[in-house]
Amino acid sequence: RAEMLSMADEIKQSAELLRGIFDYDQAVLRLEELNALSESPELWDDPEKAQALMRERTKLETGIKEVDTLF
């Protein structure tokens, strides 16, 4: 039991460190911004820009979900 509690504490500390590196709050704000931009009908007028936006959006969304599962 003590070993499990120690491991859980180490995981929590690692998650906190990752959260700081990831800058969770900034990521959430950026995701909201990208979601708003993705709703623009003009977005796909420039396919390369649209694809870059969608890649960034997907990456942030995935990172946020991963951090959320840790907490």
Side-chain angles (χ1 to χ4, degrees):
R1 179 160 164 77
E3 186 178 334
M4 287 176 47
L5 291 174
S6 176
M7 284 180 57
D9 188 48
E10 286 179 34
I11 291 170
K12 186 174 182 178
Q13 289 175 9
S14 295
E16 288 293 331
L17 178 62
L18 286 172
R19 189 176 191 152
I21 292 170
F22 182 63
D23 195 357
Y24 183 88
D25 296 332
Q26 189 64 34
V28 170
L29 292 174
R30 178 65 177 154
L31 181 59
E32 290 173 3
E33 179 183 351
L34 293 172
N35 283 337
L37 290 170
S38 70
E39 294 175 7
S40 170
E42 294 85 27
L43 175 67
W44 292 99
D45 290 348
D46 184 348
E48 286 184 29
K49 184 177 178 181
Q51 289 174 354
L53 183 144
M54 297 308 284
R55 279 192 297 274
E56 181 182 358
R57 183 184 165 279
T58 300
K59 184 178 175 182
L60 281 174
E61 188 174 52
T62 300
I64 290 168
K65 284 180 183 179
E66 288 177 11
V67 170
D68 286 348
T69 61
L70 297 173
F71 295 98

